Amino acid sequence: MTGSELLYLQFNQDYGCFAAGTSNGFRVYNCDPYKESFCRGFDGGPGGIGIVEMLFRCNILAIVGGGAAPRYPPTKVMIWDDHQGKCIGELSFRSQVRAVKLRRDRIVVALEHKVLVYNFADLKLLHQIETLANPKGLVAVSSTAESTVLACPGLHTGQIRVELYDRRQTKFISAHNNALSALSLSLCGKRLASASDKGTLVRVWNTADGQLLQELRRGADHAIIHSIALSRGCDWLAVSSDKSTVHVFALSEAVSTGAGAGVQRSSPSATNSPTMVPGASVMEPPSSSNVGGQDDGAPGSGSNGGALSTPPPPPRSNPTSILSVVKGIVPSLALPKYFQSEWSFAQARLSSDDVGCRSLVGFGPQPNTLCIITMSGAFYKVSFDPSKGGACSQEVYTRFIDPQAAAAGGAGGAAAALLLITHSGSSHCWHAAVAAHWEHVLRGAVRVGKTPCMSEGAMGMWRWPWWGVSRRLLSHGSQE
């Protein structure tokens, strides 16, 4: 895009907003109703933003420079306070930052071979995890205050490492035979969804014990999985890929409520060890070309059906191969796993302008709705029938990036330069006011003109009660 190339897209934690990093700043959009919440451009000098991570709807964001002319080095995570219109802190590394995730009490940074966890109040390093090469920056963290769960690649191909910080336990899940392509945690951190580079299967896991709960088939041919989303009640799962079709799956009762047994596996996939915490088509039909072929990962078959979170629950189940009926009649008959697969319950096709573009999917605030954003600048809101499934109905379609308007628009103060204090090749900078007011932060965010509230799904932009920045607070910790 001339003058305003789109560099980054990501939803916030509850899919209520999404942020876009461009070659001259960043923007935040509300999903339902769709509208631009604010736009921040950088006049004079480079302005490329390669990562923008939101913290629900509050004014604190994590940004990383990117593009041909980055605003900040791609090796630094800048903590941006939009209320003040400037950066109030930063983390600096020796290698490129691949991803950033935020909680109200934690900052998680993914590098090529490490995942680092920091305390939000003072930027103290709490945990450092070695990973397999992770160029995509795969990492997921739970968002609710009730539990702290982190998932990232392990040290072996297809392995997922799950950190259960509240229980001081680590789980290793042998999730796939191929390299990981996508990870997603539910808001509470109890369910984990994963996909591999092969892109045919999506698996849903119980993070508490590493048990496989359900296995879902996106399609028969290879695909690049762009994103996986779990609904708030874990009743539904959505997947986007380079096939320009978003697939929606009904999740079993074992996933949504924890009732019933999980999918049987031929060998255990999870082990315990102490943590080191210091202090494209629309539903592709079964194809004979894949019969008997090996799918990615260990064998498993999902259970059909499940209950919706809102009564009365309509009957729903993911389609399966017609040969699965034969299996039910003759249980002793050995059928290839392919014929026992669960296929998508509903599908949403993207327009021809978005074919091949990277797309992200999230569940809308209204029941049975999806929000889809693409790197070509498109926004979709679609709905699906929770009883019949099939093709989704398009409710909203718009383009949120206009090259000419984006090049001219966007006021906002340039980030203030901050003095850095360096330790062993890494640097931190944090304002003392952050730590001084942090106890108020944990009690709740303050919405302008309203009383304090901890609601994560409420509309409006939140402001953390941080004022008066003049001093620096040192923090120590080794980094890559």
Side-chain angles (χ1 to χ4, degrees):
M1 296 182 186
T2 305
S4 184
E5 179 187 0
L6 188 58
L7 303 177
Y8 181 83
L9 277 179
Q10 188 58 268
F11 286 103
N12 72 341
Q13 288 82 355
D14 60 5
Y15 306 117
C17 298
F18 69 93
T22 72
S23 56
N24 61 2
F26 64 91
R27 300 175 174 197
V28 172
Y29 299 83
N30 192 69
C31 289
D32 194 3
Y34 167 80
K35 67 177 180 178
E36 182 180 287
S37 296
F38 62 86
C39 175
R40 299 294 176 257
F42 299 112
D43 296 328
I49 300 297
I51 295 176
V52 188
E53 180 69 15
M54 299 181 66
L55 180 57
F56 288 99
R57 293 174 179 269
C58 85
N59 57 297
I60 301 298
L61 302 94
I63 58 178
V64 179
R71 178 68 180 180
Y72 307 104
T75 57
K76 289 185 178 181
V77 176
M78 312 299 295
I79 308 301
W80 175 273
D81 183 350
D82 200 71
H83 177 46
Q84 301 183 52
K86 64 180 181 181
C87 292
I88 60 172
E90 68 178 60
L91 290 167
S92 182
F93 305 91
R94 292 173 180 161
S95 62
Q96 182 178 349
V97 175
R98 300 297 184 178
V100 183
K101 299 296 178 184
L102 299 180
R103 282 173 50 97
R104 288 194 170 94
D105 57 349
R106 297 289 185 268
I107 301 175
V108 179
V109 180
L111 306 178
E112 182 79 23
H113 294 279
K114 286 184 181 179
V115 170
L116 302 108
V117 182
Y118 295 88
N119 186 36
F120 213 144
D122 55 10
L123 296 190
K124 180 181 179 181
L125 180 65
L126 300 178
H127 197 187
Q128 183 171 280
I129 303 170
E130 300 286 340
T131 69
L132 201 63
N134 186 18
K136 295 181 179 179
L138 298 180
V139 65
V141 62
S142 61
S143 302
T144 58
E146 289 74 21
S147 63
T148 306
V149 181
L150 181 146
C152 65
L155 290 172
H156 303 284
T157 301
Q159 184 186 67
I160 303 173
R161 175 172 180 154
V162 179
E163 294 290 341
L164 306 170
Y165 287 109
D166 300 315
R167 296 166 52 176
R168 292 185 173 271
Q169 289 184 338
T170 301
K171 302 286 181 180
F172 292 96
I173 302 175
S174 299
H176 302 272
N177 288 339
N178 297 312
L180 298 174
S181 178
L183 292 176
S184 180
L185 276 170
S186 60
L187 281 173
C188 63
K190 294 180 180 180
R191 301 293 181 259
L192 168 67
S194 66
S196 77
D197 279 348
K198 189 171 183 180
T200 55
L201 299 175
V202 176
R203 293 186 171 122
V204 184
W205 311 88
N206 180 14
T207 57
D209 56 12
Q211 184 182 25
L212 177 63
L213 299 177
Q214 195 168 3
E215 185 175 271
L216 309 164
R217 179 172 289 279
R218 180 213 56 82
D221 55 339
H222 176 275
I224 300 174
I225 302 297
H226 292 156
S227 70
I228 305 174
L230 290 160
S231 65
R232 180 175 288 272
C234 291
D235 300 307
W236 304 96
L237 180 146
V239 181
S240 66
S241 70
D242 64 340
K243 299 299 183 182
S244 302
T245 300
V246 173
H247 295 267
V248 183
F249 297 87
L251 295 180
S252 65
E253 188 177 359
V255 176
S256 59
T257 66
V263 176
Q264 296 296 317
R265 295 173 63 90
S266 58
S267 60
S269 62
T271 57
N272 298 336
S273 67
T275 59
M276 301 178 292
V277 180
S281 44
V282 179
M283 185 183 65
E284 296 93 339
S287 167
S288 59
S289 62
N290 240 37
V291 176
Q294 289 200 356
D295 290 315
D296 175 67
S301 59
S303 54
N304 295 335
L308 283 175
S309 56
T310 55
R316 60 184 176 91
S317 62
N318 297 316
T320 57
S321 167
I322 188 64
L323 291 181
S324 63
V325 178
V326 179
K327 177 70 175 178
I329 300 174
V330 187
S332 60
L333 180 64
L335 285 176
K337 184 178 63 174
Y338 179 85
F339 292 114
Q340 305 174 47
S341 296
E342 295 184 54
W343 298 75
S344 61
F345 179 83
Q347 309 82 30
R349 283 187 179 274
L350 304 185
S351 74
S352 58
D353 294 335
D354 301 314
V355 171
C357 291
R358 177 174 172 80
S359 59
L360 303 177
V361 61
F363 285 90
Q366 299 178 19
N368 312 317
T369 61
L370 298 173
C371 295
I372 306 166
I373 51 179
T374 73
M375 285 298 290
S376 59
F379 172 86
Y380 300 78
K381 179 187 174 185
V382 301
S383 60
F384 60 92
D385 189 320
S387 300
K388 300 178 182 178
C392 294
S393 300
Q394 183 173 294
E395 298 185 8
V396 177
Y397 172 77
T398 186
R399 292 278 163 178
F400 59 86
I401 289 289
D402 177 71
Q404 295 180 350
L418 299 177
L419 180 63
L420 299 182
I421 302 166
T422 304
H423 297 279
S424 303
S426 61
S427 58
H428 307 267
C429 187
W430 196 243
H431 290 287
V434 173
H437 292 284
W438 191 250
E439 294 211 1
H440 297 289
V441 171
L442 294 179
R443 294 192 186 104
V446 179
R447 188 179 181 185
V448 179
K450 300 292 183 179
T451 55
C453 177
M454 283 295 291
S455 172
E456 296 165 353
M459 301 296 288
M461 296 303 296
W462 295 98
R463 292 184 181 177
W464 291 107
W466 300 344
W467 302 283
V469 289
S470 59
R471 294 182 296 151
R472 299 177 312 241
L473 182 66
L474 283 179
S475 63
H476 300 269
S478 60
Q479 298 165 282
E480 184 174 272

